[in-house]
């Protein structure tokens, strides 16, 4: 889901949910490239029984095993529904409005707050951080 800061430098929220429970199992903030995909890939389980369902975005192929990866919009309706709810709860995430964040840290804390309060998400503890040089003007540390 695209989260807009200043018009020319968007930041994207990548998140994965467990389909049966809607529990958030992985998330990252960053650009749409493979580097951010690898951040979310580090948080996913490698269990053999897990099947991954994504849309057609190419960086998913770099992080998910081919035999357990299904690319189809038919299997992403749960996460798309949750994206819509997140946009409803946070005006700063709506597209092309005047309600946006100039601070990536404020955006991060807002998302975590909504996940905890509205989705009752038991978030996984984050193990480290990456530096994102593409977020607005200053580099920030993004927890992973």
């Amino acid at each position: 889901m695209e989260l807009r800061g200043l018009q020319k430098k968007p930041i994207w929220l990548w998140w994965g949910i467990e389909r049966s429970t809607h529990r958030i199992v992985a998330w990252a903030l960053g650009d749409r490239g493979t580097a951010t995909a690898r951040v979310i890939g580090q948080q996913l389980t490698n269990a053999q029984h897990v099947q991954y369902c994504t849309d057609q975005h190419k960086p998913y192929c770099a992080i998910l095993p081919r035999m357990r990866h299904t690319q189809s919009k038919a299997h992403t309706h749960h996460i798309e529904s949750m994206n819509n709810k997140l946009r409803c709860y946070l005006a700063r995430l709506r597209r092309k409005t005047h309600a946006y964040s100039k601070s990536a840290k404020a955006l991060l804390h807002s998302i975590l707050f909504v996940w905890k309060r509205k989705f009752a998400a038991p978030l996984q503890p984050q193990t480290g951080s990456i530096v994102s040089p593409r977020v607005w003007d200053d580099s920030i540390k993004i927890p992973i």
Side-chain angles (χ1 to χ4, degrees), residues 12 14 30-42 44 52 54-66 69 71 134:
W12 288 80
W14 295 59
D31 62 11
R32 284 185 48 92
T34 305
T36 308
R38 289 189 203 292
V39 170
I40 202 168
Q42 293 172 356
L44 297 172
Y52 299 102
T54 67
D55 58 13
Q56 303 289 334
H57 192 50
K58 290 185 195 235
Y60 293 124
C61 296
I63 63 165
L64 300 174
R66 178 181 287 173
H69 182 205
Q71 288 185 304
R134 305 182 76 185

Side-chain angles (χ1 to χ4, degrees), residues 2 4-11 134 136:
E2 181 181 14
R4 289 197 175 263
L6 298 176
Q7 191 68 356
K8 295 191 180 205
K9 295 182 183 180
I11 183 171
R134 305 182 76 185
W136 296 293

